[in-house]
Amino acid sequence: MPLICFASPKGGVGKTTLAANIADALRRQGRRVLVMDFDPQNTLRLHFGVPLTDTGGFMVELPKRPDWRDLVRQTASGVMLLPHGSGDIRGTLGLAHALDRDPELLAAPMRSILGDPNLLVVADTPPGASHALNIIAPMASLVCTVLLPDATSAALIPDIESGRFLGAGTMATLFAGRLRVVLNGVDPNARLSRAAAETVARHIGPRLLGAVARDELVAEALAAQRLVLDLAPNSQAAEDLREIARGIEAALPSGPDPFSAGWGAR
């Protein structure tokens, strides 16, 4: 039932890579995991070895109101996958319009998915604000925000701390308490990277789940369409991913989330 949303105020921070590999780490900790791709780039599937010729997916089929179970890919890792699917700009704009007009188009199947008490769902959302994030955030136990250790991320701290990048007003207030932060690509040998990471850690405090070291093995894993814990289980990045997965487990509420329960009962 828990839903973990991976989000970021801007693109290019490695959000999808972390969503895929932390989903795998959570599965290795004994969880039954479904990972969902809400990003039109449709790249989450590449981490799980889904063939490039497989262009179907949950979000591109959403206007047809499909049964989500028929679209699940069983991956070699043991993680179940609902890819976004490949589409053109016309389809992407059409889907955004449909969700704006009828949020239940997505909310209803999400309630069905989250109705399984033994399933942990990891969602990779598009960078910045999006219709998908706006609809599923109320159901999330945690929203994991991915940042790089750079000056831009340090400048975004006020928006992260307040939850403003999720929206304005009530949306920001409601979900700020569920926000957690992951720093990606930290190079302890680079002065600027280390200083930016320390700045973010100092301001975010206990909401910082952890940091993933800059490691070429992460890029190599993606190039090979494999997961980091499979390709390089003894690497520093692999240990960082395991530590963040343990942090997510510790941060999850021990009982039912009354807000999510209320939303699901609508």
Side-chain angles (χ1 to χ4, degrees), residues 5-166:
C5 289
F6 277 78
S8 62
K10 66 186 188 72
V13 299
K15 169 184 55 62
T16 296
T17 296
L18 290 188
N21 283 283
I22 290 175
D24 178 52
L26 288 164
R27 199 276 309 166
R28 291 168 186 261
Q29 290 177 186
R31 287 280 193 167
R32 182 166 160 258
V33 178
L34 170 69
V35 63
M36 303 180 67
D37 191 353
F38 291 95
D39 193 329
Q41 294 183 78
N42 194 34
T43 56
L44 184 65
R45 64 192 172 124
L46 301 181
H47 295 273
F48 294 94
V50 174
L52 291 172
T53 53
D54 184 349
T55 59
F58 174 64
M59 291 299 285
V60 295
E61 295 291 334
L62 197 59
K64 301 176 184 177
R65 301 181 186 272
D67 186 333
W68 61 271
R69 298 170 188 84
D70 296 336
L71 299 171
V72 172
R73 273 60 168 178
Q74 302 290 340
T75 73
S77 69
V79 174
M80 295 175 287
L81 168 68
L82 271 177
H84 181 285
S86 299
D88 55 21
I89 186 63
R90 182 176 180 180
T92 299
L93 292 174
L95 177 59
H97 179 69
L99 291 175
D100 186 48
R101 185 177 65 252
D102 182 15
E104 278 294 299
L105 187 64
L106 176 57
M110 285 304 299
R111 287 196 296 269
S112 173
I113 292 168
L114 296 174
D116 185 339
N118 298 314
L119 186 66
L120 187 150
V121 182
V122 174
D124 179 33
T125 66
S130 68
H131 285 92
L133 182 58
N134 189 58
I135 292 167
I136 68 174
M139 307 178 190
S141 299
L142 293 175
V143 177
C144 294
T145 308
V146 181
L147 299 176
L148 294 177
D150 58 17
T152 301
S153 293
L156 288 170
I157 287 175
D159 284 345
I160 301 298
E161 289 184 311
S162 66
R164 281 196 298 269
F165 87 97
L166 291 175

